[in-house]
Amino acid sequence: MRELDQSLRAMNPVAVGRPADETRLEDILALPGDTVAAPRSSSRPALRWWLAAAATATAAAVAFTVTGPFGTASQPALALTPVPLAYQPSERPAAEVLRDMADRVADLPDDRPAPWKTEHFVWDSWSLSTRVDDIQVTSAVIPEHRETWQKSDGSAHWKTRTLPPEFQNRHQRELWEDAGALGRTPQQSTGSGDASPSTEPPTTVQGMRAWLANGQRMGPGLLYEVVPERFQDHVFSPAQRAALLRVLADTKGIVHTGKVKDRAGRTGEAFSLTGRFGGLPDRRTLILDPRTGNLLASEEQILDDTGKLNVKPYSVIGYITFVKSDRLA
C-alpha cells in the first residue's frame, strides 16, 4: 500500500528532515525528470527486509514512462487502476464503532499456539508503482501474491508470484495485448533472510500507541501507514487487537466509511482518513473484521487533484488484501 508514497519520499531531495506527514509530492514533481536523490536516512528503523524487497517503485513511477521494447504507442493515455470498492455510507462516528468493536474483541480467547515456531502471512497487493520485467506497465492491473514464513528468531523466507492481469473492459485487454501482454506469464520469486526477533506488542492503549510510533511523532497519516505494516509481520492476540482499535478510536480525522466487501469478498467495517500526506489529496482506508478486529485490507485512493500521476481522479493507487495470518506450532 505504502510503496508509491514511501518511494517518492525516499527520492525527495527537497524534503530532507521533514516528518512523514509533511512530505510534499508537488516538490518532487517540480524537479527535472532526471533528478533523483539518494535515499534519505530516517529516524524510524527500516521496514523488515521482505517489505523492502517488495518495494519496486522507481522514478519511472512518477512520470509513467514505458521504457521497454514495446514503446509507448500502445499504452493508454491514463494508467489503468483497480475498480474502487463500493462502500455503504454510515452516519455513526468512527470512534463509537471502533470502541464497540474493541470491547467485543477484547473478550475473545487467545487461540494462538504457545510455544510457536512460525508465523505465516499471505497477502495480495497492487501499487501504482508496479513493474513487470522491469517495465512500467500502464495497460493492465497486475497484482502480486506474497506468502511469508517467519520464525520467532527473526529468520524467514518468502515466495511471490504475479496474479493474472485485470481489466475493466475488452478495450483495455486489447491495449495490453498490443503493448506486449506483459504479465501474461506469471513471474515468481523466492528469498530468505534475517530480521530482529519477533516481540509481543503491548496490550494497553498507551503501550500500543508507543509501540506503533516506534520513537517517531505519530500523526494520523503515519498511523495509517504503520498499521498495515504491522499486520504484515505480527499475529496479534485479541487483547492486542483491542488496544490497537482503541488507538484508532482516539485518533482525530478518522471517518467510519461504512460496510464494504473487500477484494476477497469479505464484509468488513471501513475507516478512512483524508489528507495530503504525500503532497496530493488522497484517502486511505482500513477495512477491519468486526468480529475479530483483524485488518482485512488497506486501500489508498487519490482524490480530485492527481498532479502528474497520470491517473483519473478518484483512482485507487494501491491496496493490500490480507488473506491469511496465523501462528504454527
Side-chain angles (χ1 to χ4, degrees):
M1 163 62 54
R2 182 184 177 209
E3 292 173 3
L4 179 65
D5 191 40
Q6 181 185 35
S7 299
L8 292 176
R9 283 202 305 273
M11 294 187 292
N12 186 0
V14 298
V16 175
R18 284 184 183 167
D21 285 1
E22 297 179 8
T23 305
R24 294 179 58 80
L25 183 56
E26 294 101 314
D27 295 336
I28 303 169
L29 297 177
L31 295 170
D34 58 352
T35 302
V36 178
R40 296 186 284 114
S41 61
S42 172
S43 59
R44 181 175 173 217
L47 298 181
R48 289 178 181 270
W49 49 267
W50 59 84
L51 296 180
T56 57
T58 66
V62 177
F64 283 91
T65 300
V66 178
T67 58
F70 308 104
T72 60
S74 297
Q75 294 290 334
L78 295 174
L80 271 63
T81 57
V83 177
L85 299 179
Y87 299 92
Q88 300 178 19
S90 169
E91 296 183 357
R92 292 188 65 192
E96 176 184 305
V97 180
L98 285 163
R99 289 193 180 102
D100 286 349
M101 192 184 304
D103 290 342
R104 292 194 301 271
V105 171
D107 292 333
L108 296 175
D110 187 355
D111 58 0
R112 301 176 304 168
W116 59 278
K117 293 182 178 179
T118 306
E119 288 185 328
H120 180 217
F121 305 94
V122 181
W123 70 87
D124 297 337
S125 63
W126 176 85
S127 169
L128 195 59
S129 60
T130 296
R131 298 171 70 87
V132 177
D133 286 335
D134 202 32
I135 298 173
Q136 184 70 41
V137 180
T138 66
S139 57
V141 173
I142 304 177
E144 180 184 80
H145 180 84
R146 177 170 288 263
E147 196 163 2
T148 301
W149 294 264
Q150 174 191 328
K151 295 183 179 180
S152 57
D153 63 2
S155 62
H157 67 280
W158 79 92
K159 63 180 181 181
T160 67
R161 72 174 188 275
T162 56
L163 298 175
E166 300 173 2
F167 311 94
Q168 296 184 22
N169 52 52
R170 181 177 178 180
H171 176 64
Q172 291 179 353
R173 176 177 287 276
E174 291 173 348
L175 282 174
W176 169 71
E177 291 174 345
D178 290 344
L182 294 172
R184 184 192 298 276
T185 301
Q187 290 190 330
Q188 301 185 48
S189 64
T190 60
S192 61
D194 294 303
S196 301
S198 179
T199 58
E200 283 293 316
T203 58
T204 65
V205 176
Q206 184 176 0
M208 177 60 71
R209 184 181 292 110
W211 182 79
L212 291 170
N214 200 17
Q216 281 204 255
R217 179 168 61 85
M218 177 67 78
L222 182 58
L223 177 63
Y224 260 58
E225 294 177 1
V226 169
V227 169
E229 290 173 5
R230 294 298 172 251
F231 273 92
Q232 292 175 58
D233 59 16
H234 283 82
V235 177
F236 292 92
S237 71
Q240 292 162 353
R241 294 195 298 270
L244 192 153
L245 292 171
R246 293 188 174 111
V247 170
L248 290 171
D250 291 341
T251 302
K252 295 182 179 179
I254 296 179
V255 175
H256 181 219
T257 322
K259 293 186 182 298
V260 66
K261 283 191 175 182
D262 70 5
R263 299 182 188 277
R266 303 166 298 184
T267 299
E269 299 285 351
F271 301 89
S272 298
L273 181 70
T274 300
R276 302 180 70 94
F277 311 112
L280 294 173
D282 71 351
R283 182 177 71 175
R284 298 176 178 180
T285 300
L286 302 178
I287 302 173
L288 297 163
D289 187 325
R291 298 173 297 105
T292 66
N294 274 315
L295 183 61
L296 299 178
S298 176
E299 300 261 333
E300 185 168 3
Q301 188 174 12
I302 198 76
L303 298 182
D304 53 341
D305 179 7
T306 64
K308 297 180 182 179
L309 287 185
N310 203 39
V311 295
K312 295 180 180 179
Y314 304 101
S315 292
V316 174
I317 60 174
Y319 70 77
I320 302 176
T321 302
F322 296 87
V323 179
K324 193 172 186 180
S325 174
D326 55 11
R327 279 185 174 177
L328 309 176

